[in-house]
Amino acid sequence: MTQAKRQRSGSNGSRSSAPALRRVAKVHTRSTQKKLYDEAIVLSDSSSDSDVAEVTSVFAISASLPLPTTRTAEAVVVVLGDSETESPIEISRIRGQRPILPRSTSLRSPGPAASVPSRRSVEQVQERSSILPLALSTEVEFSGICSPPPSQQQLNDTAPATPLVAPLDTTDHGPASPDADDKQKERLLYLHIFDNVLQTVLSGESHLFSDQEQETLRAFIALERHSRYLYTRLFMRKHGWIRVSALNAYGEDVVVEQSCKCLGTRTSSHEPFVQSEAEITDGEEALQLLTLPELKALAKARGIKQLTNKPKEAICAAILKGAKQRTVISFFRKASDGGSEDSTKQRLDTLVREVTKLTGPLVRLSPPTAELFERLHLVFFRTPTFRGDDNPMKVAVLATIGQICFPKYNVVRSHDLFASRDDVIQYKALLEVGSQMGELGSALVKETEKHRLGWEMFLEYRDMWERHIESLCEKTGAHSRSLTYSGNGDEVVAIEYWKRRFTPGSALAQIVERGAKFAANLKQFEDEECVLQSLLAQTAYRLGKRGVWYERLILLHSAHLRPKRVKSSKGDDKQTASALLRQALLTARDICIRALNDQHVGRLSLHSISRQMRALEAKLAFEEDQLYQHSRISLEWKPAPERTVYGVRINDRNRRGPSLWDGNDEVPCSVERLALWRYQSLGYSGLHSENSMVTSLFSLLFWDVIFYPLPGTLDTEYQSRPLDMGNESFYFSRQTLIDQRLKEIVDGEFADIILANYDFGYGAECVGVSWDITCDQLLIVAKYIGGHGLAAICKVLAREYRSKSSGFPDLCLWNSVTENVMFVEVKGPKDKLSDSQRDWIDILLSNGISVEVCLVREGDARDHE
């Protein structure tokens, strides 16, 4: 009698004791139980320690492998092997038991019925994606594909310390095809990422979710795996009604339908995760789900004619109009519930039923649970997900399958970036409002209706902003303190400052800033002046925009808010108007002085404000000794030498965008390409790189500084930059590291740093790096610029990366004979240098780096030789 038989006969129908299950005999059966339930894995006495590791790894990646199983009172026994003669391995997942290592023996090849992947294939899968943590499952019993979620008591009893995943369906459906294996791996991949988001957030930031929300998330964890996979894919799509028949890419039709029903189940502990077509009550919403042929067929069935060449909107309007009208028959017909007449609601309900009959079953994410998962992803990725936008999970998927590569760095995740659940909810809501206002603000100025709508949206939050400013005033130093970054104490302030970007106040400040833009477009200058003053009254948010706000405020007082007609006034009116004009100009000058003393105003705005102040003082007829003197006044940029080249322009009235010119090979080209050819004839080599050359050099030189594990700045493995890069705190929180690297660059050690980091991070999505530029080109340009010039460029980028990562000259040229590098800004006819471009030219010239402005004009180059 085998051990299994002795075990069964000894039980006499009662449950076997746990010690009796510690040795599981050879059992070979074709019974196909669909699920494996328990946590521990026990192998038979004939298996070795290496067999344990082998099979454990196999189970981590082969959850869907068809395996023969049998079930005892306390265990599910899984047999790997085809016959008794091949010494199959028995695996018993026993409830509550720990793995027991059996006696030593050799592992023989399993039979074809259960083809176990080799150790090499396991390692290949490990390298491809980190799916192995999905090996062990939660102890939740399922019956079939779609079983109802467990009760709250079961969840409380079985909820693990960290969220784990439910097992995949292991039903034996026959030989698996390669396509099926690929789909299974794809599902594992999506679920692994989604579950990692859940696990990471709930393990460290569960305080940002209410008890009820955590129950909902635990209920989601306990769902059958395909249902969770389907929800993941729906979440990554544009949120709206989707035909169930269109989801066949996510599984077989029957499985998808059952998963939709499972996700739509309502329990006492949570709302349904998805909604069905029964939730549609609006006829107009229903009609939008039909295609144009379906709309025409529905209209024809309802007796609506003359639909030829009608757009979809017109057909929908005609069907709705017809549905709301009462027919002669319906007027006389009485309903069966007591004689009430056919109502408009009943007719619209009939229309909705007709639409859903055409579409078939529909599904969409339940808005409350979708909002919960959006908030969960916001907390994890630190990036808002607006409905209809690309989900950051897509980036994570692409990174996992190797389509995108992120830099290697130590993730040091913080748990205090968001203060509370209320802050996260308010922050997310305000970001959505700001996004809507941004879309309205992108409209043309003549589209006044959109700008007026945006202004009305701002008015709803004006009082909230004023109350917030008052609360900042009440807090010690939060309103008036400027962020000075000299000293250890101020470095702490710098780190705290970038975190303010993830607060409701920062999102509210963005709404207010966009409100000022709407007021300007609507020519409501007094309202705009008030909004700008409120923004400048605080130093907590958007410090990099203060220079722009000052510039606009100066313009308002010097041009828009002053008296328009002084000369046409007479007598006392003229004198009064002149006094008002002078007062407006003096107010504008005072704002200039205020701006020059504001340390948060960048060098680009300083040039503009300095020129504005000198122009105001000229209008006020100030004497030389009355002119305001300040160390930050900068009136003029150094001019670059100009070179004019000629070419034949291609005139195309229908073309929009950059102009086209005849190239040397008679192929239309851009104005920059034409200029590049002209410089090549002068002995230069180079490329049209614009900002990418200097940003690539900066990121490669400061790679380890950028990805230095400052707490909270590298919170996920899917970042191309730290969270604080782009604002003022980046430099000051890393000032020691940056200054040390700048010294190394000045000392000429830059080539080794570039070469090492280029090889280390090649192909990674690192901020500013363009891998289209070869390492040799980078080394040549760096060598010819020299250590002092390279350090000057890098220091500017380290301090003001957001504003200075644009505006760099178009062409990067070098001459290997003279060992000279030159940057060239190309300007076609009617193009002018922007302030940002002038500033970069000034920086380069001030540090001994050659710069030219190339003016491309129409004409034959031979006529100007």
Short mmCIF file of all heavy atoms in Angstrom, two decimals, residues 135-160:
data_model
loop_
_atom_site.label_atom_id
_atom_site.label_comp_id
_atom_site.label_asym_id
_atom_site.label_seq_id
_atom_site.Cartn_x
_atom_site.Cartn_y
_atom_site.Cartn_z
N ALA A 135 4.85 34.55 -7.11
CA ALA A 135 4.78 33.11 -6.95
C ALA A 135 3.71 32.69 -5.96
O ALA A 135 2.88 31.84 -6.26
CB ALA A 135 6.13 32.58 -6.51
N LEU A 136 3.74 33.27 -4.76
CA LEU A 136 2.79 32.86 -3.73
C LEU A 136 1.55 33.71 -3.79
O LEU A 136 1.60 34.88 -4.08
CB LEU A 136 3.44 32.97 -2.35
CG LEU A 136 4.67 32.07 -2.15
CD1 LEU A 136 5.21 32.25 -0.75
CD2 LEU A 136 4.32 30.63 -2.43
N SER A 137 0.43 33.14 -3.50
CA SER A 137 -0.85 33.83 -3.66
C SER A 137 -1.55 33.98 -2.33
O SER A 137 -1.23 33.32 -1.35
CB SER A 137 -1.75 33.04 -4.62
OG SER A 137 -2.01 31.77 -4.08
N THR A 138 -2.55 34.83 -2.29
CA THR A 138 -3.37 34.98 -1.10
C THR A 138 -4.22 33.75 -0.92
O THR A 138 -4.59 33.08 -1.87
CB THR A 138 -4.28 36.21 -1.25
OG1 THR A 138 -4.93 36.11 -2.49
CG2 THR A 138 -3.49 37.47 -1.18
N GLU A 139 -4.55 33.46 0.31
CA GLU A 139 -5.30 32.25 0.62
C GLU A 139 -6.79 32.54 0.47
O GLU A 139 -7.53 32.70 1.42
CB GLU A 139 -4.97 31.81 2.05
CG GLU A 139 -5.56 30.46 2.40
CD GLU A 139 -5.18 30.08 3.81
OE1 GLU A 139 -4.36 30.79 4.41
OE2 GLU A 139 -5.70 29.09 4.30
N VAL A 140 -7.24 32.64 -0.76
CA VAL A 140 -8.64 32.91 -1.06
C VAL A 140 -9.12 31.84 -2.01
O VAL A 140 -8.50 31.61 -3.05
CB VAL A 140 -8.84 34.29 -1.70
CG1 VAL A 140 -10.30 34.54 -2.00
CG2 VAL A 140 -8.30 35.35 -0.76
N GLU A 141 -10.21 31.16 -1.68
CA GLU A 141 -10.69 30.06 -2.51
C GLU A 141 -11.63 30.58 -3.57
O GLU A 141 -12.51 31.38 -3.31
CB GLU A 141 -11.39 29.03 -1.63
CG GLU A 141 -11.81 27.79 -2.40
CD GLU A 141 -12.22 26.68 -1.47
OE1 GLU A 141 -11.81 26.71 -0.30
OE2 GLU A 141 -12.95 25.79 -1.91
N PHE A 142 -11.47 30.11 -4.80
CA PHE A 142 -12.29 30.53 -5.93
C PHE A 142 -13.02 29.32 -6.48
O PHE A 142 -12.50 28.21 -6.48
CB PHE A 142 -11.45 31.15 -7.04
CG PHE A 142 -10.71 32.38 -6.62
CD1 PHE A 142 -9.41 32.30 -6.18
CD2 PHE A 142 -11.33 33.60 -6.64
CE1 PHE A 142 -8.73 33.43 -5.78
CE2 PHE A 142 -10.67 34.74 -6.26
CZ PHE A 142 -9.36 34.64 -5.82
N SER A 143 -14.17 29.53 -7.00
CA SER A 143 -14.90 28.47 -7.69
C SER A 143 -15.25 29.00 -9.06
O SER A 143 -16.14 29.82 -9.22
CB SER A 143 -16.16 28.09 -6.92
OG SER A 143 -16.98 29.22 -6.74
N GLY A 144 -14.53 28.56 -10.07
CA GLY A 144 -14.77 29.04 -11.42
C GLY A 144 -14.02 30.31 -11.70
O GLY A 144 -13.23 30.79 -10.91
N ILE A 145 -14.30 30.89 -12.85
CA ILE A 145 -13.58 32.08 -13.30
C ILE A 145 -14.01 33.31 -12.53
O ILE A 145 -13.22 34.17 -12.20
CB ILE A 145 -13.81 32.28 -14.81
CG1 ILE A 145 -13.24 31.08 -15.57
CG2 ILE A 145 -13.20 33.56 -15.30
CD1 ILE A 145 -13.48 31.14 -17.04
N CYS A 146 -15.28 33.39 -12.22
CA CYS A 146 -15.80 34.64 -11.65
C CYS A 146 -16.55 34.35 -10.38
O CYS A 146 -17.75 34.10 -10.40
CB CYS A 146 -16.71 35.31 -12.68
SG CYS A 146 -17.39 36.85 -12.13
N SER A 147 -15.88 34.36 -9.25
CA SER A 147 -16.53 34.14 -7.97
C SER A 147 -16.67 35.46 -7.25
O SER A 147 -15.88 36.37 -7.46
CB SER A 147 -15.70 33.16 -7.14
OG SER A 147 -14.39 33.63 -7.01
N PRO A 148 -17.68 35.60 -6.39
CA PRO A 148 -17.88 36.88 -5.70
C PRO A 148 -16.75 37.18 -4.74
O PRO A 148 -16.08 36.26 -4.25
CB PRO A 148 -19.21 36.66 -4.96
CG PRO A 148 -19.32 35.18 -4.82
CD PRO A 148 -18.67 34.59 -6.03
N PRO A 149 -16.50 38.45 -4.47
CA PRO A 149 -15.44 38.83 -3.54
C PRO A 149 -15.73 38.30 -2.14
O PRO A 149 -16.89 38.07 -1.79
CB PRO A 149 -15.45 40.36 -3.58
CG PRO A 149 -16.18 40.69 -4.83
CD PRO A 149 -17.14 39.60 -5.06
N PRO A 150 -14.71 38.07 -1.32
CA PRO A 150 -14.93 37.57 0.03
C PRO A 150 -15.57 38.63 0.91
O PRO A 150 -15.58 39.81 0.58
CB PRO A 150 -13.50 37.25 0.51
CG PRO A 150 -12.63 38.17 -0.28
CD PRO A 150 -13.30 38.31 -1.61
N SER A 151 -16.10 38.18 2.02
CA SER A 151 -16.71 39.10 2.96
C SER A 151 -15.63 39.93 3.65
O SER A 151 -14.45 39.61 3.60
CB SER A 151 -17.51 38.32 4.01
OG SER A 151 -16.63 37.52 4.78
N GLN A 152 -16.08 40.98 4.35
CA GLN A 152 -15.12 41.84 5.05
C GLN A 152 -14.41 41.07 6.15
O GLN A 152 -13.21 41.28 6.38
CB GLN A 152 -15.85 43.05 5.63
CG GLN A 152 -14.92 44.03 6.33
CD GLN A 152 -13.83 44.50 5.39
OE1 GLN A 152 -14.08 44.78 4.23
NE2 GLN A 152 -12.61 44.57 5.89
N GLN A 153 -15.11 40.14 6.82
CA GLN A 153 -14.46 39.36 7.87
C GLN A 153 -13.36 38.49 7.30
O GLN A 153 -12.28 38.36 7.87
CB GLN A 153 -15.51 38.50 8.59
CG GLN A 153 -14.95 37.72 9.78
CD GLN A 153 -14.38 38.65 10.85
OE1 GLN A 153 -14.95 39.68 11.14
NE2 GLN A 153 -13.25 38.27 11.44
N GLN A 154 -13.65 37.89 6.11
CA GLN A 154 -12.61 37.09 5.46
C GLN A 154 -11.41 37.94 5.08
O GLN A 154 -10.27 37.52 5.21
CB GLN A 154 -13.19 36.41 4.21
CG GLN A 154 -14.18 35.31 4.54
CD GLN A 154 -14.84 34.77 3.28
OE1 GLN A 154 -15.12 35.53 2.35
NE2 GLN A 154 -15.07 33.47 3.25
N LEU A 155 -11.69 39.15 4.60
CA LEU A 155 -10.60 40.03 4.22
C LEU A 155 -9.73 40.38 5.43
O LEU A 155 -8.51 40.39 5.35
CB LEU A 155 -11.13 41.30 3.58
CG LEU A 155 -11.67 41.17 2.15
CD1 LEU A 155 -12.31 42.47 1.72
CD2 LEU A 155 -10.56 40.79 1.20
N ASN A 156 -10.39 40.67 6.53
CA ASN A 156 -9.64 41.04 7.73
C ASN A 156 -8.81 39.87 8.24
O ASN A 156 -7.72 40.04 8.78
CB ASN A 156 -10.58 41.52 8.83
CG ASN A 156 -11.27 42.83 8.45
OD1 ASN A 156 -10.74 43.58 7.63
ND2 ASN A 156 -12.41 43.10 9.03
N ASP A 157 -9.36 38.64 8.08
CA ASP A 157 -8.65 37.46 8.58
C ASP A 157 -7.47 37.08 7.71
O ASP A 157 -6.48 36.56 8.18
CB ASP A 157 -9.62 36.28 8.67
CG ASP A 157 -10.69 36.52 9.74
OD1 ASP A 157 -10.46 37.38 10.62
OD2 ASP A 157 -11.74 35.85 9.69
N THR A 158 -7.62 37.30 6.41
CA THR A 158 -6.61 36.79 5.48
C THR A 158 -5.77 37.87 4.85
O THR A 158 -4.86 37.56 4.10
CB THR A 158 -7.29 36.01 4.34
OG1 THR A 158 -8.15 36.91 3.62
CG2 THR A 158 -8.11 34.86 4.87
N ALA A 159 -6.06 39.15 5.10
CA ALA A 159 -5.29 40.22 4.44
C ALA A 159 -3.84 40.18 4.87
O ALA A 159 -3.53 40.23 6.05
CB ALA A 159 -5.89 41.59 4.79
N PRO A 160 -2.92 40.08 3.92
CA PRO A 160 -1.49 40.03 4.27
C PRO A 160 -0.98 41.41 4.64
O PRO A 160 -1.64 42.42 4.44
CB PRO A 160 -0.84 39.54 2.97
CG PRO A 160 -1.77 40.00 1.90
CD PRO A 160 -3.14 39.99 2.49
#
